[in-house]
C-alpha cells in the first residue's frame, strides 16, 4: 500500500445562500510522491476542495488530514506543508526573481540554512534569469516564477490550480517539465485541470468530480482501461468490392477505399481482424489506430 499524504473523509461544503453542496461528502486520498490530477467541468467543486486545504474556505463538515495533521486542530502546520500556485500571476515587476524569492522566504520565516532559492530557480529553468527584472520575463517564465515562489518554504505538497490555462503550447511543455522535475525531487503534486491531455501526460492518479461528487478515483492506467475500445482505420490500394463477413459487425464507417472498425481490445485481436482482409486478397495501403483516451472516458463518466 502506498503511503497517503492527504486523506479526506466525508468532506462537505455548502456555501451560504446556496441550495446545493459544492462538495457533497467526498472521500479522497492522495498518494505520497504522486502527481494527482483533480478533474471536472466548471463548477464541479475543484477550487472549493483546494481552498479548503489551503485554509481559504471553511468546510461545512468532514475530516481533512494532511501529512498526518488534522485541519481542525493544526491548520497552520498544514498551511506550511503546502505550496499553492494560484491561477493568476501576482509578481512585482520591479523585483528580480531572486529578490522575489528572498521576500517570500522572509514572509514564511524560512531559516537561512533551509533557503534553496538557487536550486529551486534552477529546477524551474529560471537559473539564468535569477537577477533579471521580473518585468523582462516572458509569460511562461512568470508562471514558473509563481511555482518557484510557492516552493520557497520547501513544502512536501505543491498545489497548482489550472497550471496551463491560457499558456501556449511551447511554454506549456516547459511548465510540465518543471512540474515533473519537482515531482522527481520528491514533491507530491496536486493539480486541477479541465485540459485532459495535461492530466493524461502528467498524472499518476486521477479523480474526477462532478457536482460536488467524486465519480472516479483511480490510477491513470486503470482509468484508461475503463473503455476497452479500439478503433482502426484501414486504407486499401484498390476499391473495396467485397467485405469479409467476419469483419461486418465491427464496421463503423466505410467509403470506397477505407474502412473504420471499432472493437473491444480485450476480446478481439487487431492482427486477427486484418488477416480476414489479407485472406480475401484485399491489399492494405495504410492503417491508423486509436485507443480510447482520457477524453473518451471523461465524456462517458459525465454522461453516466
Ligand atoms: P470548480 O473549481 O470545479 O469550477 P468551484 O469549487 O469553484 O468549482 O464551485 C463549486 C460550486 O460552488 C459551484 O456551483 C459554484 O457556483 C459554487 N461556489 C463557489 N464559490 C462560491 C462562493 N464563494 N459562494 C457561493 N457559491 C460558490
Amino acid at each position: 500500500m502506498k503511503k497517503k499524504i492527504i486523506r479526506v473523509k466525508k468532506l462537505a461544503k455548502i456555501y451560504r445562500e446556496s441550495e446545493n453542496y459544492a462538495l457533497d461528502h467526498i472521500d479522497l486520498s492522495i498518494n505520497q510522491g504522486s502527481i494527482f490530477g483533480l478533474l471536472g467541468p466548471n463548477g464541479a467543486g475543484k477550487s472549493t476542495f483546494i481552498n479548503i486545504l489551503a485554509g481559504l474556505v471553511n468546510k461545512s463538515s468532514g475530516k481533512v488530514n494532511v501529512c498526518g495533521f488534522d485541519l481542525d486542530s493544526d491548520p497552520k502546520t498544514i498551511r506550511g506543508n503546502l505550496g499553492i500556485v494560484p491561477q493568476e500571476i501576482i509578481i512585482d515587476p520591479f523585483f528580480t526573481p531572486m529578490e522575489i524569492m528572498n521576500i517570500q522566504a522572509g514572509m514564511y520565516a524560512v531559516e537561512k540554512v533551509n533557503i534553496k532559492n538557487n536550486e529551486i530557480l534552477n529546477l524551474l529553468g529560471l537559473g539564468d534569469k535569477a537577477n533579471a527584472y521580473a518585468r523582462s520575463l516572458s509569460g511562461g517564465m512568470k508562471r514558473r516564477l509563481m511555482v518557484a515562489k510557492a516552493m520557497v518554504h520547501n513544502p512536501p505538497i505543491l498545489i497548482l490550480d489550472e497550471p496551463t490555462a491560457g499558456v501556449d503550447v511551447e511554454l506549456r511543455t516547459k511548465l510540465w517539465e518543471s512540474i515533473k522535475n519537482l515531482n522527481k525531487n520528491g514533491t507530491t503534486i496536486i493539480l486541477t485541470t479541465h485540459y485532459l491531455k495535461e492530466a493524461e501526460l502528467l498524472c499518476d492518479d486521477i479523480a474526477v468530480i462532478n457536482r460536488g461528487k467524486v465519480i472516479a478515483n483511480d490510477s491513470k492506467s486503470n482509468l484508461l482501461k475503463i473503455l476497452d475500445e479500439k478503433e482502426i482505420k484501414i486504407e486499401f490500394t484498390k476499391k473495396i468490392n467485397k467485405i469479409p463477413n467476419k469483419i461486418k459487425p465491427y464496421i463503423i464507417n466505410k467509403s470506397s477505399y477505407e474502412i473504420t472498425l471499432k472493437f473491444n481490445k480485450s476480446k478481439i485481436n487487431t492482427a486477427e481482424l486484418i488477416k480476414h482482409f489479407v485472406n480475401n486478397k484485399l491489399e492494405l495501403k495504410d492503417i491508423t489506430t486509436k485507443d480510447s483516451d482520457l477524453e473518451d472516458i471523461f465524456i462517458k463518466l459525465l454522461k453516466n
Side-chain angles (χ1 to χ4, degrees):
M1 270 287 264
K2 288 179 186 152
K3 196 169 170 211
K4 307 293 179 199
I5 196 159
I6 293 183
R7 274 178 286 129
V8 160
K9 284 242 175 306
K10 296 206 172 9
L11 178 64
K13 172 68 189 177
I14 187 155
Y15 287 99
R16 222 178 290 159
E17 288 157 27
S18 175
E19 282 172 22
N20 300 316
Y21 279 100
L23 286 179
D24 194 356
H25 305 88
I26 65 167
D27 291 331
L28 211 59
S29 55
I30 296 174
N31 289 324
Q32 185 165 22
S34 65
I35 302 186
F36 178 89
L38 190 59
L39 271 58
N42 274 333
K46 304 182 294 292
S47 305
T48 300
F49 178 77
I50 282 178
N51 288 337
I52 290 172
L53 291 182
L56 299 171
V57 164
N58 290 325
K59 61 185 168 64
S60 303
S61 61
K63 281 279 170 200
V64 175
N65 188 292
V66 178
C67 299
F69 300 100
D70 186 90
L71 184 64
D72 293 319
S73 46
D74 275 317
K76 256 193 153 164
T77 317
I78 290 184
R79 189 76 183 82
N81 278 291
L82 301 174
I84 295 171
V85 187
Q87 269 187 43
E88 66 276 24
I89 293 173
I90 317 154
I91 287 171
D92 191 321
F94 298 104
F95 289 107
T96 68
M98 190 52 90
E99 286 165 345
I100 289 170
M101 297 290 281
N102 286 333
I103 294 166
Q104 187 81 357
M107 268 166 33
Y108 271 89
V110 185
E111 283 180 39
K112 260 217 162 79
V113 289
N114 292 324
I115 294 179
K116 296 180 184 156
N117 291 346
N118 269 321
E119 197 182 312
I120 297 167
L121 289 174
N122 282 335
L123 266 178
L124 288 156
L126 291 169
D128 56 344
K129 294 280 173 190
N131 300 309
Y133 279 115
R135 63 170 176 261
S136 70
L137 304 183
S138 70
M141 288 174 186
K142 282 184 190 141
R143 212 170 267 261
R144 277 182 275 135
L145 181 53
M146 288 295 294
V147 179
K149 249 176 91 179
M151 289 301 295
V152 158
H153 57 296
N154 307 307
I157 303 169
L158 180 70
I159 298 180
L160 301 121
D161 196 4
E162 296 279 348
T164 57
V167 175
D168 73 30
V169 179
E170 198 184 329
L171 300 177
R172 199 185 276 157
T173 316
K174 189 97 192 167
L175 189 61
W176 287 339
E177 244 173 62
S178 304
I179 293 171
K180 280 190 187 159
N181 275 342
L182 290 172
N183 180 246
K184 270 192 211 135
N185 260 27
T187 311
T188 303
I189 311 271
I190 300 170
L191 58 96
T192 71
T193 184
H194 50 252
Y195 182 41
L196 295 165
K197 268 280 163 275
E198 178 161 277
E200 202 166 321
L201 279 165
L202 278 181
C203 297
D204 305 304
D205 300 312
I206 288 169
V208 181
I209 58 172
N210 190 28
R211 298 201 190 107
K213 285 188 159 61
V214 176
I215 55 173
N217 181 17
D218 213 329
S219 66
K220 177 179 63 192
S221 52
N222 278 346
L223 274 180
L224 288 173
K225 279 185 214 149
I226 293 180
L227 287 187
D228 180 33
E229 284 170 350
K230 191 180 186 85
E231 255 181 57
I232 58 172
K233 188 162 89 179
I234 308 168
E235 198 185 334
F236 298 94
T237 52
K238 294 197 189 91
K239 219 170 178 172
I240 312 159
N241 44 25
K242 190 173 177 296
I243 296 167
N245 281 334
K246 288 261 167 72
I247 294 293
K248 283 181 182 162
Y250 309 111
I251 297 176
I252 57 164
N253 209 349
K254 179 183 168 303
S255 64
S256 307
Y257 290 88
E258 268 180 20
I259 287 183
T260 307
L261 307 171
K262 193 172 189 168
F263 52 91
N264 290 98
K265 283 187 288 197
S266 62
K267 296 195 185 110
I268 310 278
N269 181 298
T270 311
E272 289 293 320
L273 276 185
I274 289 170
K275 236 189 242 166
H276 295 300
F277 291 112
V278 178
N279 291 345
N280 278 267
K281 309 245 174 324
L282 280 161
E283 198 183 325
L284 276 57
K285 188 176 169 196
D286 198 7
I287 300 180
T288 44
T289 70
K290 179 186 174 290
D291 287 291
S292 42
D293 60 16
L294 207 54
E295 184 145 359
D296 301 323
I297 289 155
F298 191 70
I299 291 166
K300 186 187 158 85
L301 285 168
L302 292 186
K303 259 194 204 148
N304 290 346

